[in-house]
Each structure stands twice: as C-alpha cells, then as structure tokens.
Amino acid sequence: MQQVFVHGLGQTPASWQKTIAQMSCTGQTICPDLAALLSGREVSYQSLYRAFADSCNQAAQPIDLCGLSLGGVLALQYALEQPDKVGSLVLIATPYRMPKRLLKLQNLLFRLLPEAAFAQMGWPKAAVLRLCASMAALDFSHSLQAVACPVMVLCGARDRANKKASWDMAGMLRNAELHIIEGAGHEVNRDAPEKLAAALDAFYQRSAPPAVERETRLIE
C-alpha cells in the first residue's frame, strides 16, 4: 500500500506528521511538497496539477490519495483523470467547485497581508495570489460520478465554509462515505490529528489491501 498525503495551501509535508504517527494502518507513506513540485515552473494551478500528476504517475501500483483543501482538489482531479492509478481517495475540506465569492474574499485578505506572512507557504505573496486566481474556474460537479474507487469525505465540524459542500459531494459520489470531525476547523490534520488518524485507519482497513510495513518519507 502506498499512501500519498497532500497538504493544503499554507501547510507543508510536516503538517501530516502527527496524524501519520498515530496511524496503525501501515504502508509506504509519501508527503509531497507542493512548493517543491512547482519549483521552476509557471505558478498556476494547472502547472501544479501537471507536476503533481507526473509525481503520482511514477508509482508502480495504485495509490491511496489523501488530500486537504488544495491537496484534496489535486487528488480529486487525479482520481478523475487516472482512475486505474487510484485505489482509494480521502478528501478533507475539499471543494468540488470553487466558491468564487470566497476566493475573492481570500485573495483580498491575502493582498492585505505582509510578504513575511507567506514564508511558510513556500511561495512569495505574488505567486500565492496567482495560484489562487488560477483556480477560480475549477468545477468537477459534472464529473464526480466517474470516480470509481472508495472515497471518504471528511470535514471539520467548525469548517463552515466547506461543510455543506462536503455533504453535497458525498451524495454525488458513487462509493463515498462522509465523516465529520468534531472539534476541528478547516485544518483537520492540525486541529485533530488523533481523530483524523482513527478515521483514516478505519477507512483503510475497510478499503485497502493487506497492510505492509510502513516507511514514512517526506519529499522536500
């Protein structure tokens, strides 16, 4: 089993460490660094997705994808375009259609932040603004039925911006279950790593092949 954990915007591969450390379901664990994947490329969602897909295509076996927010959007698109490469899919706080008003508000807030606030994202402020703007037209609502693998849709109970979309997406997917993490906001892997680990373990035990010894590797 090869589990790929894809972080959200404003996070790093290390954002998954507490969750992975508490999981008992074993396998090879990879946490790609999205900023590193985009290094030397044009800053846009489309360019980031191509780099992410190239990375996933290197796997010799179907992978178990788990993504949060931006990472979930990347994982969802890959599952739609490469169904034979994905064994299971976990989507955390993931919009299936970009909320344009929320994106505009987010970009306005980003413009008001100082450059130093973007250091942990791995991109300068201008690059983050370009990346967010390039996602505005994304809409997978008419393709969700094409996802064939088992899916778990998760959302923090305090994540008001994504809770309804999570309910709706779980209903539109063919083979999906919904899990609400109590006490968590948008960044479930930081807010409730223990609860997230338990939910992931249960899901992988139901849907994944027999486990093998896990090797955790952070790609930077």
Side-chain angles (χ1 to χ4, degrees), residues 3-157:
Q3 298 166 329
V4 180
F5 291 82
V6 196
H7 64 81
L9 188 64
Q11 294 190 344
T12 69
S15 302
W16 294 107
Q17 286 182 341
K18 289 184 178 179
T19 298
I20 293 171
Q22 297 182 66
M23 290 176 62
S24 60
C25 203
T26 56
Q28 183 189 44
T29 302
I30 298 175
C31 303
D33 186 329
L34 298 184
L37 286 179
L38 201 52
S39 179
R41 296 175 180 243
E42 171 197 4
V43 178
S44 69
Y45 172 82
Q46 292 71 25
S47 181
L48 177 59
Y49 174 73
R50 288 193 295 270
F52 173 73
D54 288 344
S55 176
C56 291
N57 287 339
Q58 296 176 18
Q61 58 184 323
I63 57 179
D64 296 308
L65 279 174
C66 174
L68 183 146
S69 196
L70 169 61
V73 175
L74 292 166
L76 174 59
Q77 183 170 352
Y78 188 77
L80 287 167
E81 296 187 1
Q82 302 288 344
D84 294 338
K85 288 277 191 177
V86 181
S88 69
L89 184 62
V90 177
L91 302 172
I92 307 171
T94 300
Y96 61 89
R97 179 175 56 210
M98 293 305 108
K100 291 183 173 58
R101 290 183 180 178
L102 186 60
L103 276 179
K104 287 181 179 179
L105 176 60
Q106 176 181 273
N107 282 354
L108 177 61
L109 293 174
F110 280 169
R111 290 182 186 280
L112 297 175
L113 291 175
E115 184 70 38
F118 295 83
Q120 67 174 349
M121 298 187 187
W123 292 298
K125 178 176 179 177
V128 172
L129 291 172
R130 287 198 300 272
L131 177 62
C132 293
S134 69
M135 297 178 66
L138 293 178
D139 186 349
F140 302 110
S141 57
H142 300 296
S143 307
L144 294 177
Q145 283 287 319
V147 177
C149 65
V151 184
M152 180 163 63
V153 179
L154 289 97
C155 188

